[in-house]
Amino acid sequence: MCSCLLQKTNICYLSFPDSYSGGLGDTQFSFRLRQSGGQRNTHFGDDGEYNREAPLTLQRESAHYFGYVYFRQVKDSSMKRGYFQKSLVLVSRLPYVNLFQSLLQLIAPEYFDKLEPCLEAVCNEIDQWPPPVPGQTLNLPVMGIVIQVRIPSRVDKPGSSPLKQFNQENLLPAPLVLPSVHELDLFRCFQPVLIHIQMLWELMLLGEPIVVMAPSPTISSEMVLALTSCLTPLKYCCDYRPYFTIHDSEFKEYTTRTQAPPNIVVGVTNPFFIKTLQHWPHLLRIGELKMSGDLPKQVKVKKLTKLKTLDTKPGIYTSYKTFLHKDKTLIKRLLKGIQRKRPSEVQSALLRRHLLELTQSFIIPLEHYIASLMPLQRAITPWKNPPQIRPFRQEDFMKTLEHAGPQLTCVLRGDWLGLYRRFFKSPNFDGWYRQRHKEMTQKLEALHLEAICEANIVAWMKDKSEVEIVDLVLKLREKLIRARCHHLPVKEETLQRVGLYIETIIGSLPEDLQTVLHHQ
């Protein structure tokens, strides 16, 4: 099967519930799938610019697609199976679950009634939308309504409310204002596992393989997306599938027992997966939400040996022991909020702030240590290659924790050292380190260019041979091209001065050499 056809087949299977669903009406869910074969270039010329300005967690992906589904199932005696079953699917490289699901809520009911002509008109409107620019508020007209939403930026303060950053414009008709392009109702998603938030955060931080077994694609996809958002502002660097079916082309890859389970969180609904994935180390089985008095019934942690192929009860099936102690204060505050009927968005904000502070407490010591590996600015001289960033030594980092560890900003006690050691083996550490090393390398190159601009080029050339001068011209040109192509953090004024330096140097050479260099 060709890769394009395989991708379409995967999308089709992911657009419908995998197991029998007797529920009637409309449901929404999401999926994420790997791009099949071929080149991974996107159709958007502004990918690099968008990704530089967007938070790491909201970057446009080059190797995966996100699918947003609106599924309708209603009784219809005219249909062969007795039901009308149809899905409208929006496919994007952007993880804007809130925006695209809200858009589908407007489009899908109309589409099911009026079919293709309606869809064609909507597509024409969407074609006119401006590209997403981090930090800007967009007004997106569709079907007589204007959706207003702000695109988050990398410079936003973590945990700040996007609503406070909106431009107040007098739009008529009044716009449909979305509080966020991507944030879910975290509290609603986590209701059955509130007392286990600590364990789930650790499992996600360490990139552990997790199966989420849910009664519907909606609950499955929301739980997986909620789990991956736990680590903000740290990017979750492992694979994740909010909804996965037995028909997926990667089914064999994930269910094989000949190798260890991959670092992935996979959401499923078909009970068949309990049998095929029972060798995975962690399985979160959730049912429909049940109340125990005023409070949502909490699932229990159970041993993996308790897993039954049929009729597995809700629970977290794992032998994992947490490194950190539970935060009982958070749980009490959340449970008190339920009893007082506090709005879900307030509870979500409380939960999100707790997870943000926990992640920051863990990451700040790493940030401080890696910053200390950067060469001093006075060590950067114009006519030598910039010095290297010193290597990350895990044991050296561990020694810093006694005086500058997470205990300074976090009340939680436990085996922080053990958690760091395990984290060093995870894809999340690798992804974080690569990103930070890349940023530091670019900063070094930028500082080197600034040092060159501040140097006396004429004095340097006095005792240099033509070969050395030509070599400098070629190196400076290469640096200039690299600075523009890789968008190094350098002022335009600095780049222009480097360009003038190159012209000055070339002008000092014999005419024949000038001609050669100008034609290169």
Coordinates of all heavy atoms in Angstrom, one line a residue, residues 386-443:
P386 N 34.9 30.6 18.5 CA 34.4 30.7 19.9 C 34.7 29.4 20.7 O 34.7 28.3 20.2 CB 32.9 30.9 19.7 CG 32.6 30.5 18.3 CD 33.8 30.7 17.5
P387 N 35.0 29.6 22.0 CA 35.2 28.4 22.9 C 34.0 27.5 22.9 O 32.9 27.9 22.7 CB 35.5 29.0 24.2 CG 35.0 30.4 24.2 CD 35.0 30.8 22.8
Q388 N 34.3 26.2 23.3 CA 33.2 25.2 23.3 C 32.5 25.3 24.6 O 33.0 25.7 25.7 CB 33.9 23.8 23.2 CG 34.6 23.5 21.9 CD 33.6 23.3 20.8 OE1 32.7 22.5 20.8 NE2 33.8 24.1 19.7
I389 N 31.2 24.9 24.5 CA 30.4 24.7 25.8 C 30.9 23.5 26.5 O 31.1 22.4 25.9 CB 28.9 24.5 25.4 CG1 28.4 25.7 24.6 CG2 28.0 24.2 26.6 CD1 27.1 25.5 23.9
R390 N 31.1 23.6 27.8 CA 31.6 22.5 28.6 C 30.6 21.4 28.6 O 29.4 21.6 28.6 CB 32.0 23.0 30.0 CG 33.2 23.9 30.0 CD 33.7 24.1 31.4 NE 32.7 24.8 32.3 CZ 32.5 26.1 32.3 NH1 33.1 26.9 31.4 NH2 31.6 26.6 33.1
P391 N 31.1 20.1 28.7 CA 30.1 19.0 28.7 C 29.3 18.9 30.0 O 29.7 19.4 31.1 CB 31.0 17.8 28.6 CG 32.4 18.2 29.1 CD 32.5 19.7 28.8
F392 N 28.1 18.4 29.9 CA 27.1 18.2 31.0 C 27.6 16.9 31.7 O 27.5 15.8 31.2 CB 25.7 18.0 30.5 CG 24.6 18.0 31.5 CD1 23.8 19.1 31.7 CD2 24.5 16.9 32.4 CE1 22.8 19.1 32.6 CE2 23.5 16.9 33.3 CZ 22.7 18.0 33.5
R393 N 28.0 17.1 33.0 CA 28.4 15.9 33.8 C 27.4 15.7 34.9 O 27.2 16.6 35.8 CB 29.8 16.2 34.4 CG 30.9 16.4 33.3 CD 32.3 16.4 33.9 NE 33.3 16.9 33.0 CZ 33.8 16.2 32.0 NH1 33.4 15.0 31.8 NH2 34.7 16.8 31.2
Q394 N 26.8 14.6 34.8 CA 25.7 14.3 35.7 C 26.1 14.4 37.2 O 25.4 14.9 38.0 CB 25.1 12.9 35.4 CG 24.4 12.9 34.1 CD 23.8 11.5 33.7 OE1 23.7 10.7 34.6 NE2 23.5 11.3 32.5
E395 N 27.2 13.8 37.5 CA 27.7 13.8 38.9 C 28.0 15.2 39.4 O 27.7 15.6 40.5 CB 28.9 12.9 39.1 CG 28.6 11.4 38.9 CD 27.4 11.0 39.8 OE1 27.3 11.4 41.0 OE2 26.6 10.3 39.3
D396 N 28.5 16.1 38.5 CA 28.8 17.5 38.9 C 27.4 18.2 39.2 O 27.3 19.0 40.1 CB 29.5 18.2 37.8 CG 31.0 17.8 37.7 OD1 31.4 17.0 38.6 OD2 31.6 18.2 36.7
F397 N 26.5 17.9 38.3 CA 25.1 18.5 38.6 C 24.6 18.0 39.9 O 24.0 18.8 40.7 CB 24.2 18.1 37.4 CG 22.7 18.3 37.8 CD1 22.2 19.6 37.8 CD2 21.9 17.3 38.1 CE1 20.9 19.9 38.2 CE2 20.5 17.5 38.5 CZ 20.1 18.8 38.5
M398 N 24.7 16.7 40.2 CA 24.2 16.2 41.5 C 24.7 16.9 42.7 O 24.1 17.1 43.7 CB 24.4 14.7 41.6 CG 23.7 13.9 40.6 SD 21.9 14.0 40.8 CE 21.3 12.5 40.1
K399 N 26.0 17.3 42.6 CA 26.7 18.0 43.7 C 26.1 19.4 44.0 O 26.1 19.9 45.1 CB 28.2 18.1 43.4 CG 28.9 16.8 43.5 CD 30.4 16.9 43.0 CE 31.1 15.6 42.9 NZ 32.4 15.7 42.3
T400 N 25.5 20.0 42.9 CA 24.9 21.3 43.1 C 23.6 21.3 43.8 O 23.1 22.3 44.3 CB 24.7 22.0 41.7 OG1 23.6 21.3 41.0 CG2 25.9 22.0 40.9
L401 N 23.0 20.1 43.9 CA 21.6 20.0 44.4 C 21.5 20.2 45.9 O 20.5 20.7 46.4 CB 21.0 18.6 44.1 CG 20.7 18.3 42.6 CD1 20.2 16.9 42.4 CD2 19.8 19.4 42.0
E402 N 22.6 20.0 46.6 CA 22.6 20.2 48.1 C 22.3 21.6 48.5 O 21.5 21.9 49.4 CB 23.9 19.7 48.7 CG 23.9 19.7 50.2 CD 25.3 19.3 50.8 OE1 26.1 18.7 50.1 OE2 25.5 19.5 52.0
H403 N 22.9 22.6 47.7 CA 22.7 24.0 48.0 C 21.7 24.7 47.0 O 21.2 25.7 47.4 CB 24.0 24.7 47.9 CG 25.0 24.1 48.8 ND1 24.9 24.2 50.2 CD2 26.2 23.4 48.6 CE1 26.0 23.6 50.8 NE2 26.7 23.1 49.8
A404 N 21.4 24.1 45.9 CA 20.6 24.8 44.9 C 19.6 23.8 44.3 O 19.3 23.8 43.1 CB 21.4 25.4 43.8
G405 N 19.0 22.9 45.1 CA 18.1 21.8 44.6 C 16.7 22.3 44.6 O 16.3 23.4 45.0
P406 N 15.7 21.4 44.2 CA 14.3 21.7 44.2 C 13.7 22.0 45.6 O 12.7 22.7 45.7 CB 13.7 20.4 43.7 CG 14.8 19.6 43.1 CD 16.0 20.0 43.8
Q407 N 14.4 21.6 46.7 CA 13.9 21.8 48.0 C 13.8 23.3 48.3 O 13.1 23.8 49.2 CB 14.8 21.1 49.1 CG 16.1 21.7 49.3 CD 17.2 21.2 48.3 OE1 16.8 20.5 47.4 NE2 18.4 21.6 48.5
L408 N 14.5 24.2 47.5 CA 14.4 25.6 47.7 C 13.1 26.2 47.3 O 12.7 27.2 47.8 CB 15.6 26.3 47.0 CG 17.0 26.0 47.4 CD1 18.0 26.7 46.5 CD2 17.2 26.2 48.9
T409 N 12.5 25.6 46.3 CA 11.2 26.1 45.8 C 10.0 25.2 45.9 O 8.9 25.6 45.6 CB 11.4 26.5 44.3 OG1 11.9 25.3 43.6 CG2 12.4 27.6 44.1
C410 N 10.2 24.0 46.4 CA 9.1 23.0 46.4 C 9.1 22.4 47.8 O 10.1 22.0 48.4 CB 9.4 21.9 45.4 SG 8.0 20.8 45.3
V411 N 7.8 22.3 48.4 CA 7.6 21.8 49.7 C 7.7 20.2 49.7 O 7.8 19.6 50.8 CB 6.3 22.3 50.3 CG1 6.3 23.8 50.5 CG2 5.1 21.8 49.5
L412 N 7.6 19.6 48.6 CA 7.5 18.2 48.5 C 8.9 17.6 48.9 O 9.9 18.0 48.5 CB 7.2 17.7 47.1 CG 5.7 17.9 46.6 CD1 5.6 17.2 45.3 CD2 4.8 17.3 47.6
R413 N 8.8 16.5 49.7 CA 10.0 15.8 50.1 C 10.0 14.4 49.4 O 9.0 13.9 48.9 CB 9.9 15.6 51.6 CG 10.0 16.9 52.4 CD 11.4 17.5 52.3 NE 11.5 18.8 52.9 CZ 11.5 20.0 52.2 NH1 11.3 19.9 50.8 NH2 11.6 21.1 52.8
G414 N 11.2 13.8 49.4 CA 11.3 12.5 48.7 C 12.7 12.4 48.1 O 13.6 13.1 48.4
D415 N 12.8 11.4 47.3 CA 14.1 11.1 46.7 C 14.3 11.8 45.4 O 14.2 11.3 44.3 CB 14.2 9.5 46.4 CG 15.5 9.1 45.9 OD1 16.5 9.9 45.9 OD2 15.7 7.9 45.5
W416 N 14.6 13.1 45.5 CA 14.8 14.0 44.3 C 16.0 13.5 43.5 O 16.0 13.5 42.3 CB 15.0 15.4 44.7 CG 13.8 16.2 45.1 CD1 13.4 16.4 46.4 CD2 12.8 16.7 44.3 NE1 12.2 17.1 46.4 CE2 11.8 17.3 45.1 CE3 12.6 16.9 42.9 CZ2 10.7 18.0 44.6 CZ3 11.5 17.5 42.4 CH2 10.6 18.1 43.3
L417 N 17.1 13.0 44.2 CA 18.3 12.6 43.5 C 17.9 11.3 42.6 O 18.4 11.2 41.5 CB 19.4 12.2 44.5 CG 20.0 13.3 45.3 CD1 21.1 12.8 46.2 CD2 20.6 14.4 44.4
G418 N 17.2 10.4 43.2 CA 16.8 9.2 42.4 C 15.9 9.6 41.2 O 16.1 9.0 40.1
L419 N 15.1 10.6 41.4 CA 14.2 11.1 40.2 C 15.1 11.7 39.1 O 14.9 11.4 37.9 CB 13.2 12.1 40.8 CG 12.1 12.5 39.8 CD1 11.3 11.4 39.3 CD2 11.2 13.6 40.4
Y420 N 16.1 12.5 39.5 CA 17.0 13.0 38.5 C 17.8 11.9 37.8 O 17.9 12.0 36.5 CB 18.0 14.0 39.1 CG 17.4 15.4 39.4 CD1 17.2 15.9 40.7 CD2 17.1 16.2 38.3 CE1 16.7 17.2 40.9 CE2 16.5 17.5 38.5 CZ 16.3 18.0 39.8 OH 15.8 19.2 40.0
R421 N 18.3 11.0 38.5 CA 19.0 9.9 37.9 C 18.2 9.1 36.8 O 18.7 8.8 35.8 CB 19.6 8.9 38.9 CG 20.7 9.5 39.7 CD 21.4 8.4 40.6 NE 22.2 9.0 41.7 CZ 23.4 9.6 41.5 NH1 23.9 9.6 40.3 NH2 24.0 10.1 42.5
R422 N 17.0 8.9 37.2 CA 16.1 8.2 36.3 C 15.7 9.1 35.1 O 15.6 8.6 33.9 CB 14.8 7.8 37.0 CG 13.8 6.9 36.3 CD 14.1 5.4 36.5 NE 13.0 4.7 35.9 CZ 12.0 4.1 36.6 NH1 12.1 4.2 37.9 NH2 11.1 3.5 36.0
F423 N 15.5 10.4 35.3 CA 15.2 11.4 34.3 C 16.3 11.4 33.2 O 16.0 11.6 32.1 CB 15.0 12.7 34.9 CG 14.7 13.9 34.0 CD1 13.6 13.9 33.2 CD2 15.7 14.9 33.8 CE1 13.3 14.9 32.3 CE2 15.4 15.9 32.9 CZ 14.3 16.0 32.2
F424 N 17.6 11.3 33.7 CA 18.7 11.4 32.7 C 18.6 10.3 31.7 O 19.2 10.4 30.6 CB 20.0 11.3 33.5 CG 20.4 12.5 34.3 CD1 21.0 12.4 35.5 CD2 20.0 13.8 33.8 CE1 21.3 13.5 36.3 CE2 20.3 14.9 34.6 CZ 21.0 14.8 35.8
K425 N 17.9 9.2 31.9 CA 17.8 8.1 31.0 C 16.6 8.3 30.1 O 16.4 7.4 29.2 CB 17.7 6.8 31.7 CG 18.9 6.4 32.6 CD 18.6 5.2 33.5 CE 19.8 5.0 34.4 NZ 19.5 3.9 35.4
S426 N 15.8 9.3 30.2 CA 14.6 9.5 29.5 C 14.7 10.3 28.2 O 15.6 11.2 28.2 CB 13.5 10.1 30.4 OG 13.7 11.5 30.5
P427 N 13.8 10.1 27.3 CA 13.8 11.0 26.1 C 13.6 12.4 26.4 O 14.0 13.3 25.7 CB 12.7 10.4 25.2 CG 12.5 9.0 25.7 CD 12.8 9.0 27.1
N428 N 12.9 12.7 27.5 CA 12.6 14.1 27.9 C 13.9 14.9 28.3 O 14.0 16.0 28.0 CB 11.6 14.1 29.0 CG 10.2 13.8 28.6 OD1 9.8 14.0 27.5 ND2 9.4 13.1 29.5
F429 N 14.8 14.2 28.9 CA 16.1 14.8 29.3 C 16.8 15.1 28.0 O 17.4 16.2 27.7 CB 16.9 14.0 30.2 CG 18.3 14.5 30.3 CD1 18.6 15.7 31.0 CD2 19.4 13.8 29.7 CE1 19.9 16.2 31.1 CE2 20.7 14.4 29.8 CZ 20.9 15.5 30.5
D430 N 16.9 14.1 27.1 CA 17.6 14.2 25.8 C 17.1 15.4 25.0 O 17.8 16.2 24.5 CB 17.5 12.9 25.1 CG 18.3 12.9 23.8 OD1 19.6 13.1 23.9 OD2 17.8 12.8 22.7
G431 N 15.7 15.5 24.9 CA 15.1 16.5 24.2 C 15.4 17.9 24.8 O 15.7 18.9 24.1
W432 N 15.3 18.0 26.1 CA 15.6 19.3 26.8 C 17.0 19.7 26.6 O 17.3 20.8 26.3 CB 15.3 19.1 28.3 CG 15.8 20.3 29.1 CD1 15.1 21.5 29.3 CD2 17.0 20.4 29.8 NE1 15.9 22.3 30.1 CE2 17.1 21.7 30.4 CE3 18.1 19.5 30.0 CZ2 18.2 22.1 31.2 CZ3 19.2 20.0 30.8 CH2 19.2 21.3 31.3
Y433 N 18.0 18.7 26.8 CA 19.4 19.0 26.6 C 19.7 19.5 25.2 O 20.5 20.5 25.0 CB 20.2 17.8 27.0 CG 21.7 18.1 26.9 CD1 22.4 18.9 27.7 CD2 22.4 17.5 25.8 CE1 23.8 19.2 27.6 CE2 23.8 17.8 25.6 CZ 24.4 18.6 26.5 OH 25.8 18.9 26.3
R434 N 19.2 18.8 24.2 CA 19.5 19.1 22.8 C 19.0 20.6 22.5 O 19.7 21.3 21.8 CB 18.8 18.1 21.9 CG 19.6 16.8 21.8 CD 18.7 15.8 20.9 NE 19.2 14.5 20.9 CZ 20.1 14.0 20.0 NH1 20.4 14.8 19.0 NH2 20.5 12.8 20.1
Q435 N 17.8 20.9 23.0 CA 17.3 22.2 22.7 C 18.1 23.3 23.4 O 18.4 24.3 22.8 CB 15.8 22.2 23.2 CG 15.1 23.6 23.1 CD 14.9 24.0 21.6 OE1 14.8 23.2 20.8 NE2 14.9 25.3 21.4
R436 N 18.5 23.1 24.7 CA 19.2 24.1 25.4 C 20.6 24.2 24.8 O 21.2 25.3 24.7 CB 19.3 23.7 26.9 CG 18.0 23.8 27.6 CD 17.4 25.2 27.7 NE 18.2 26.0 28.6 CZ 18.9 27.1 28.3 NH1 19.0 27.4 27.0 NH2 19.5 27.8 29.2
H437 N 21.3 23.1 24.4 CA 22.6 23.2 23.8 C 22.6 23.9 22.5 O 23.5 24.7 22.2 CB 23.1 21.7 23.6 CG 24.6 21.7 23.4 ND1 25.2 21.8 22.1 CD2 25.7 21.5 24.2 CE1 26.5 21.7 22.2 NE2 26.8 21.6 23.5
K438 N 21.5 23.7 21.7 CA 21.4 24.4 20.4 C 21.2 25.9 20.7 O 21.9 26.7 20.0 CB 20.1 23.8 19.7 CG 19.8 24.5 18.4 CD 18.5 24.0 17.8 CE 18.0 24.9 16.7 NZ 16.7 24.5 16.2
E439 N 20.4 26.3 21.6 CA 20.2 27.7 21.9 C 21.5 28.3 22.4 O 21.9 29.5 22.0 CB 19.1 27.9 23.0 CG 17.7 27.6 22.5 CD 16.7 27.4 23.6 OE1 17.1 27.6 24.8 OE2 15.5 27.2 23.3
M440 N 22.3 27.6 23.2 CA 23.6 28.2 23.8 C 24.6 28.3 22.7 O 25.4 29.3 22.6 CB 24.1 27.3 24.9 CG 23.2 27.4 26.2 SD 23.6 26.0 27.3 CE 25.2 26.4 27.9
T441 N 24.6 27.3 21.7 CA 25.6 27.4 20.6 C 25.3 28.6 19.7 O 26.2 29.3 19.3 CB 25.5 26.1 19.8 OG1 25.7 25.0 20.6 CG2 26.5 26.1 18.6
Q442 N 24.0 28.8 19.5 CA 23.6 30.0 18.7 C 23.9 31.3 19.4 O 24.4 32.3 18.8 CB 22.1 29.9 18.4 CG 21.7 28.8 17.4 CD 20.3 28.8 17.1 OE1 19.4 29.4 17.8 NE2 19.9 28.2 15.9
K443 N 23.8 31.3 20.7 CA 24.1 32.5 21.5 C 25.7 32.8 21.4 O 26.1 33.9 21.2 CB 23.7 32.3 23.0 CG 24.0 33.5 23.9 CD 23.2 34.7 23.5 CE 23.5 35.9 24.5 NZ 22.9 37.1 24.0

